[in-house]
Amino acid sequence: MAGSSMKVLQVKTSGHNEFIDITGMIAAMVEESGPEDGACLVYVPHTTAGVTINENADPSVRRDILMMLGKMVPENAGYTHAEGNSPGHVKSSLVGCSVYVPVKAGRLALGTWQGIFFCEFDGPRTRQVWVQMLRSK
Amino acid sequence: MAGSSMKVLQVKTSGHNEFIDITGMIAAMVEESGPEDGACLVYVPHTTAGVTINENADPSVRRDILMMLGKMVPENAGYTHAEGNSPGHVKSSLVGCSVYVPVKAGRLALGTWQGIFFCEFDGPRTRQVWVQMLRSK
Amino acid sequence: MAGSSMKVLQVKTSGHNEFIDITGMIAAMVEESGPEDGACLVYVPHTTAGVTINENADPSVRRDILMMLGKMVPENAGYTHAEGNSPGHVKSSLVGCSVYVPVKAGRLALGTWQGIFFCEFDGPRTRQVWVQMLRSK
């Protein structure tokens, strides 16, 4: 991928449903890419995973989000997809597979309590996260 | 719209709730726009529809997602909006009305199993999808 | 923030759960930024709030969306996070903390019935919205 502006991250998950804080890895990539304004696209190329921004101070927050996603999308609900991972697909479309974070003077501009979480919904697996920098006007 | 970088797609839906695979149409637009890196904004200008990225190999996946959205947002739940399409509005805000897909060397960069789906939540109708190309840094 | 392309909006919310129409404020910012094509990132730097695009004609639509979010994510559901605002965190990840709106010739390109809503899920509070302009290809 010489000449491409897209960076690839690897994430190893250990649970079936799990949030992994990837804020530090994304921040480092943004800082390497130079001192400009713009935005950073964090993109998950999987269909039973996602990415979300939420509180990264108290780990109970991500536990509560996973619990509620599990209640909204139970493991057994008359799914027709034979692979048995339909709940993961549904959660992926609810949470979304990308987030955009503004970049200010070459640094990730997150709110005080915000972190970026890779969302595993059919783990454990080795996953990728793609990161693309966009230029501001 | 001479001189505008925004492209407009038409999508005809045939069900009340339906996912339509628009990956091929978006990929063709991206390839026409030149060999650069960046991202592609796929934007749905409607309030009872959406767009999502999920598996496009087995059609049972999209059926299961629609089924679960129907359970989470039932047709009758004491809605106050008089037009009767409140479930469509709620689903639109859950799934979202835009997705961003990275573009690498002028080609849509999707994961192996990913496709882009127009989500009809109040059809059948004739709908639009707007596509905007953004430049990478 | 001299030299930065990021603009900051303040939003005062008055309810615990509330949608506030910020379309006019965003449209004004976009028009100030010049007559180009691109996209506008509307980013909420909070973890118990979000932003969504939906109908801004009939206020009953946003009431119905809030009602359904309240049914999907009840106030009491065995949350472990001690601050008592877990429902707000969950809703934030469901709705998302950013939207991207295409910009055509320097104007916000929304669908006929679309408006941009700041979503308060743990108010009342004084909140921020960050707005970043991105260039099209």
Side-chain angles (χ1 to χ4, degrees):
Chain A
M1 238 177 301
S4 170
S5 60
M6 190 187 289
K7 305 274 192 319
V8 179
L9 262 181
Q10 275 218 351
V11 178
K12 260 184 191 296
T13 62
S14 56
H16 187 54
N17 284 273
E18 185 183 12
F19 275 26
I20 292 182
D21 190 340
I22 56 172
T23 316
M25 291 188 280
I26 307 292
M29 280 185 173
V30 167
E31 278 163 46
E32 274 167 31
S33 84
E36 283 162 61
D37 285 356
C40 169
L41 170 60
V42 181
Y43 185 85
V44 169
H46 306 289
T47 59
T48 53
V51 59
T52 195
I53 291 175
N54 217 299
E55 183 182 318
N56 67 352
D58 181 354
S60 66
V61 168
R62 60 200 89 151
R63 222 162 37 226
D64 285 349
I65 299 172
L66 282 171
M67 176 194 72
M68 288 313 295
L69 286 171
K71 288 195 182 191
M72 283 184 273
V73 189
E75 283 303 305
N76 296 298
Y79 302 110
T80 59
H81 183 49
E83 283 181 55
N85 58 2
S86 275
H89 287 293
V90 179
K91 291 173 188 175
S92 177
S93 276
L94 284 179
V95 164
C97 72
S98 70
V99 293
Y100 250 96
V101 188
V103 171
K104 225 163 51 187
R107 278 165 187 268
L108 210 54
L110 288 163
T112 315
W113 305 105
Q114 288 185 322
I116 307 171
F117 294 95
F118 179 86
C119 310
E120 175 62 81
F121 296 131
D122 188 34
R125 298 197 194 205
T126 300
R127 301 288 206 171
Q128 288 194 355
V129 176
W130 296 350
V131 182
Q132 180 83 288
M133 304 297 304
L134 293 207
R135 225 186 281 188
S136 75
K137 205 166 157 176
Chain B
M1 241 177 299
S4 168
S5 61
M6 190 188 289
K7 305 273 192 318
V8 179
L9 263 181
Q10 276 218 350
V11 178
K12 260 184 191 296
T13 63
S14 56
H16 187 53
N17 284 273
E18 186 182 11
F19 275 27
I20 293 182
D21 190 339
I22 56 172
T23 317
M25 291 187 279
I26 306 292
M29 280 185 174
V30 167
E31 278 163 47
E32 274 168 31
S33 83
E36 282 161 63
D37 285 356
C40 169
L41 171 60
V42 181
Y43 185 86
V44 168
H46 306 288
T47 59
T48 53
V51 59
T52 195
I53 291 174
N54 218 299
E55 183 183 317
N56 67 353
D58 180 353
S60 66
V61 168
R62 60 199 91 152
R63 219 161 38 225
D64 285 349
I65 299 171
L66 282 171
M67 175 194 72
M68 287 313 294
L69 285 170
K71 287 194 183 192
M72 283 184 274
V73 189
E75 284 302 306
N76 297 298
Y79 301 110
T80 59
H81 182 49
E83 283 180 55
N85 58 1
S86 275
H89 287 293
V90 179
K91 291 172 187 175
S92 177
S93 276
L94 284 178
V95 164
C97 73
S98 70
V99 293
Y100 251 97
V101 188
V103 171
K104 224 162 53 185
R107 278 165 187 269
L108 210 53
L110 288 163
T112 314
W113 304 105
Q114 288 184 322
I116 306 171
F117 294 95
F118 179 86
C119 310
E120 176 62 82
F121 296 131
D122 188 34
R125 298 198 194 204
T126 300
R127 302 288 205 170
Q128 288 193 355
V129 176
W130 296 349
V131 182
Q132 180 82 290
M133 304 297 303
L134 294 208
R135 225 186 281 189
S136 76
K137 204 165 157 173
Chain C
M1 240 178 302
S4 169
S5 61
M6 190 188 288
K7 305 274 192 317
V8 179
L9 263 181
Q10 275 219 349
V11 177
K12 260 184 192 295
T13 62
S14 55
H16 188 53
N17 284 273
E18 185 182 11
F19 275 27
I20 293 182
D21 190 340
I22 56 172
T23 317
M25 290 187 280
I26 306 292
M29 279 185 174
V30 168
E31 277 163 48
E32 273 167 31
S33 85
E36 283 161 63
D37 285 355
C40 169
L41 170 61
V42 181
Y43 185 85
V44 169
H46 306 287
T47 59
T48 53
V51 58
T52 195
I53 292 175
N54 217 300
E55 183 183 318
N56 66 354
D58 181 353
S60 67
V61 168
R62 60 200 90 152
R63 220 162 38 224
D64 285 349
I65 299 171
L66 282 171
M67 176 193 71
M68 288 313 294
L69 285 171
K71 287 195 182 192
M72 283 185 273
V73 189
E75 284 302 306
N76 297 298
Y79 302 109
T80 59
H81 182 49
E83 284 181 56
N85 59 2
S86 274
H89 288 292
V90 179
K91 291 172 188 175
S92 177
S93 276
L94 285 178
V95 164
C97 73
S98 70
V99 293
Y100 251 96
V101 188
V103 171
K104 225 163 50 186
R107 279 164 186 270
L108 209 54
L110 288 163
T112 315
W113 304 104
Q114 288 184 322
I116 306 171
F117 293 94
F118 179 87
C119 310
E120 175 62 82
F121 296 131
D122 189 33
R125 299 198 194 203
T126 300
R127 301 288 205 171
Q128 288 193 355
V129 176
W130 296 349
V131 182
Q132 179 83 291
M133 303 297 304
L134 293 208
R135 225 187 281 188
S136 75
K137 205 166 156 173

